[in-house]
Amino acid sequence: MKREHKAEMKARARNIVLKVAYDGTAYHGFQRQTPPIVAVQNILEEKLQTIFGDTIELAAAGRTDAGVHAYGQVVNFFTDGRIPVDRIARAANSLLPDDIVVWAAGEADTDFSARHSAKSKTYVYRIQQGEVPDPMTARYAWYIRRPLDVAAMREALAMILGTHDFSAFRASGGAPMSPVRTMYEATIEQAAGQQLICRIHGSGFLYHMVRNIIGTLANVGLGVLTPARFGEILEGRDRTKASATAPACGLYLEHVDYGEAFHFKYIHMLSAALFALASTLERLGERQRRSLSVTSRLANDSQMG
């Protein structure tokens, strides 16, 4: 939401809140861009304006970068439009492209802000392992061929729990703010298909913070750094000592928590959207099975040769 329009927008009758999921591959991040550059916000505002008959200016919980995805981005906007809350998701999804979906809609008090009312956020980062890359996950996970020492990575990741100054993992170019953040959860799970899922839940995050943590954590897994050295980097607060930023494709904004400030009372899980998602997952599963079949045949041919 543009600062100069804030008073005008808040004078409108309703404060609508949406939970949004998107594949960020085709977009220049979430935050509105000047055409011909297109961001997720550009698309959402255009379609919502058609539905509500107002000029729409969104406020978002997180300004995800180019190529970053979201399961649970939250946005809010002010409108005089009268469409019932339980019809918003269906109306929006009838206009939105397939890679952006509104999962839920609600109505909040005037003072609620998707950005400023957030109590905590959860990010997920996916790392794809395996001797052969999987083209079906190329846009959705960071491929690392060499096996990673997951136990060492877990030991290192546990060090970010609690309250710390995260300057070592802060990229330049972000908004000026305190580098002190509190992390409530930091885990690594081994998922199906040789994929690692790193989940970090915290009070807030600095610019590129999660991707910088993951880039450094990967070097722990590769044996380039020890867990103890990871801890020293964290406490040293020097970005130049940490590793390169992990690729955007593996990062997802999973969830934003608002405590008692807001709950989606009118969750409308659109059946058409669920059908589309199920169909997409089915296609991806079939492609992955074909990919594994091809990989298996290649391995057999190699052994025969």
Side-chain angles (χ1 to χ4, degrees):
M1 187 182 305
K2 295 178 181 178
R3 186 173 301 176
E4 62 269 26
H5 297 162
K6 188 173 182 179
E8 174 189 346
M9 291 295 172
K10 293 188 75 171
R12 292 177 174 178
R14 305 171 74 192
N15 186 7
I16 301 298
V17 188
L18 305 179
K19 184 174 183 179
V20 182
Y22 51 83
D23 174 347
T25 305
Y27 300 100
H28 201 273
F30 180 86
Q31 189 173 10
R32 184 193 304 110
Q33 299 293 320
T34 302
I37 300 173
V38 179
V40 175
Q41 185 173 357
N42 293 81
I43 303 297
L44 275 171
E45 289 180 342
E46 175 190 342
K47 304 307 181 185
L48 291 171
Q49 181 171 317
T50 299
I51 295 168
F52 286 89
D54 281 333
T55 300
I56 302 297
E57 294 186 9
L58 299 176
R63 299 174 180 178
T64 55
D65 293 326
V68 174
H69 316 292
Y71 295 121
Q73 173 73 279
V74 177
V75 302
N76 77 288
F77 60 94
F78 295 92
T79 180
D80 288 323
R82 296 183 178 182
I83 179 172
V85 169
D86 61 356
R87 298 182 185 177
I88 293 174
R90 182 179 297 277
N93 287 307
S94 69
L95 299 177
L96 288 166
D98 292 342
D99 51 7
I100 303 175
V101 171
V102 174
W103 286 114
E107 193 163 346
D109 295 336
T110 302
D111 292 336
F112 175 84
S113 165
R115 179 183 179 189
H116 299 293
S117 300
K119 304 299 183 184
S120 65
K121 299 175 186 175
T122 303
Y123 283 91
V124 164
Y125 196 94
R126 296 179 179 273
I127 297 175
Q128 185 69 43
Q129 291 265 264
E131 187 64 30
V132 179
D134 184 347
M136 297 304 112
T137 64
R139 299 188 301 175
Y140 308 108
W142 179 16
Y143 173 65
I144 300 178
R145 183 185 60 81
R146 289 172 54 193
L148 296 169
D149 184 341
V150 177
M153 294 171 70
R154 285 180 175 143
E155 182 181 347
L157 189 59
M159 296 177 186
I160 73 170
L161 291 171
T163 302
H164 302 275
D165 182 324
F166 283 94
S167 294
F169 301 114
R170 178 183 193 166
S172 60
M177 61 180 66
S178 170
V180 177
R181 295 289 185 273
T182 300
M183 297 298 113
Y184 307 118
E185 178 189 9
T187 62
I188 302 178
E189 303 171 4
Q190 187 81 52
Q194 294 183 288
Q195 195 169 103
L196 297 177
I197 300 178
C198 305
R199 178 173 284 102
I200 302 178
H201 172 211
S203 61
F205 296 86
L206 305 170
Y207 186 48
H208 284 180
M209 177 174 152
V210 176
R211 289 166 60 193
N212 289 335
I213 289 173
I214 297 297
T216 309
L217 196 65
N219 273 336
V220 172
L222 292 168
V224 177
L225 301 172
T226 64
R229 180 55 185 152
F230 181 94
E232 292 171 359
I233 291 170
L234 171 62
E235 296 303 319
R237 306 176 186 177
D238 183 352
R239 175 67 187 99
T240 65
K241 303 301 182 184
S243 302
T245 306
C249 62
L251 184 62
Y252 301 74
L253 174 55
E254 183 180 52
H255 179 69
V256 183
D257 182 66
Y258 293 96
E260 296 303 315
F262 180 78
H263 300 283
F264 281 103
K265 297 178 182 178
Y266 305 101
I267 297 179
H268 181 63
M269 302 300 283
L270 189 67
S271 58
L274 288 173
F275 177 78
L277 178 62
S279 298
T280 299
L281 292 174
E282 185 177 357
R283 290 196 302 272
L284 287 174
E286 179 60 30
R287 289 174 183 173
Q288 190 167 34
R289 286 192 292 272
R290 291 175 184 173
S291 175
L292 291 173
S293 177
V294 169
T295 301
S296 177
R297 289 200 301 272
L298 288 172
N300 290 337
D301 291 347
S302 176
Q303 291 174 0
M304 292 176 64

